[in-house]
Amino acid sequence: MSRLEQLKEKLKNRQPVLSTTIGNVAWSGLAQKAAGFGFDFMMFDLEHGTLSIEAVEETLRVCRLCDLPSVVRVPDSVPHLISKTLDMGADGILLPRVESVAQVSTAIRAARYYPRGRKGCGGFSNLRAEDKGSVATYNDNRLIFIQMESNEGLEVLPEILKIYKDELAGVIIGPYDSSIMVGTPLDIASPTMIDYIAKVFKTCNDAGISCGSFVDSASLIPRYRDLGGNIYWTGTEVSLICEAFAGLCDAFKKETAQA
């Protein structure tokens, strides 16, 4: 079973899922190295990261060759951005700032072939080996995640899930944008934010769909698990490098102090 199939099963059964982010380092070898670890998928950030879609094209193909599922956070719900991302080899997309049914409908139409959508056919890396000859398999193999980042999003989430639950792989909170939008800027542990997270997760759990959040570090995973999440999109390549740097410098100070 491919790792994509494993990921789809985990999401379907709302089992724990781990991801991290590449948003600034264009070297495709980073994804190749990451494939040797226990990540369920790799998130590529084209919304806030410095990478362009052209910069990640090679890395998406490397992910495919290394059997590491790839999801790209696109800048917005714009058909050509979504379709082109999949043409370049992404296994899925994350749609940010969702606040309407129309945004989700647009994404589905851009990501799915007829009869479930209106995607155009093309792209060097569009098809996986198991997709060829089957539009239905292609559609099932492309993951669509939506991101909750405001009270407006939360208000419309039940309607989105009622209409499109079967087309969505999961719902992921953007905690920092959410904290600004709910009135406690950058305080992701405020009572207001905890209540917001709990409401998003409850809505998803009641609907039977996987949910989670961006998580700064592994130490915070229990907080989101206890609130009802199962998708842990944890850290970025830059934050993990800084974490390793800090560990090295702390170890150096400790060892040289004993000399």
Side-chain angles (χ1 to χ4, degrees):
M1 181 184 290
S2 71
R3 287 169 76 169
L4 178 60
E5 287 297 322
Q6 293 174 23
L7 172 59
K8 288 164 58 181
E9 282 296 308
K10 286 184 176 182
L11 292 167
K12 178 182 177 180
N13 296 319
R14 290 186 284 165
Q15 296 173 329
V17 169
L18 178 65
S19 175
T20 190
T21 318
I22 294 177
N24 296 284
V25 178
W27 179 51
S28 62
L30 181 58
Q32 184 176 355
K33 294 295 291 184
F37 294 88
F39 295 111
D40 292 293
F41 68 93
M42 182 63 63
M43 183 75 76
F44 293 88
D45 186 9
L46 301 189
E47 182 193 17
H48 293 305
T50 59
L51 299 178
S52 66
I53 185 60
E54 291 79 13
V56 300
E57 185 267 341
E58 179 181 333
T59 306
L60 293 175
R61 284 190 284 108
V62 167
C63 284
R64 180 77 56 81
L65 292 170
C66 293
D67 195 26
L68 175 63
S70 60
V71 175
V72 174
R73 178 161 67 172
V74 294
D76 212 336
S77 185
V78 178
H80 78 271
L81 297 177
I82 293 168
S83 182
K84 186 173 184 178
T85 297
L86 298 176
D87 288 345
M88 288 188 170
D91 294 309
I93 59 128
L94 172 62
L95 192 65
R97 303 181 310 283
V98 169
E99 296 182 340
S100 72
V101 172
Q103 286 173 283
V104 180
S105 175
T106 296
I108 293 169
R109 287 172 63 85
R112 306 274 191 242
Y113 286 125
Y114 181 83
R116 287 161 64 183
R118 287 291 190 275
K119 187 187 183 304
C121 184
F124 178 77
S125 299
N126 183 33
L127 299 177
R128 299 175 62 92
E130 60 268 36
D131 297 333
K132 294 178 181 177
S134 174
V135 166
T137 301
Y138 178 95
N139 286 338
D140 287 342
N141 277 342
R142 296 308 178 275
L143 308 175
I144 300 175
F145 295 90
I146 62 173
Q147 197 161 6
M148 289 289 103
E149 302 183 87
S150 67
N151 281 319
E152 289 82 357
L154 174 57
E155 288 176 8
V156 77
L157 181 59
E159 184 180 2
I160 290 171
L161 296 182
K162 181 179 179 181
I163 300 171
Y164 291 123
K165 174 197 162 187
D166 291 341
E167 294 288 355
L168 301 178
V171 178
I172 301 176
I173 291 172
Y176 288 102
D177 279 345
S178 296
S179 71
I180 294 170
M181 296 300 289
V182 303
T184 61
L186 307 186
D187 184 358
I188 64 172
S190 70
T192 302
M193 262 304 295
I194 295 300
D195 181 64
Y196 176 81
I197 294 168
K199 286 178 178 176
V200 172
F201 287 176
K202 184 179 188 306
T203 301
C204 293
N205 288 324
D206 287 349
I209 189 169
S210 280
C211 58
S213 177
F214 176 79
V215 182
D216 288 279
S217 67
S219 65
L220 295 179
I221 288 176
R223 174 194 298 174
Y224 294 92
R225 178 199 62 207
D226 293 345
L227 288 168
N230 66 289
I231 301 172
Y232 311 114
W233 169 25
T234 309
T236 69
E237 83 276 54
V238 174
S239 70
L240 293 172
I241 289 170
C242 290
E243 188 176 315
F245 284 168
L248 175 60
C249 291
D250 289 345
F252 172 76
K253 289 178 182 179
K254 179 179 178 181
E255 293 303 322
T256 54
Q258 295 174 354

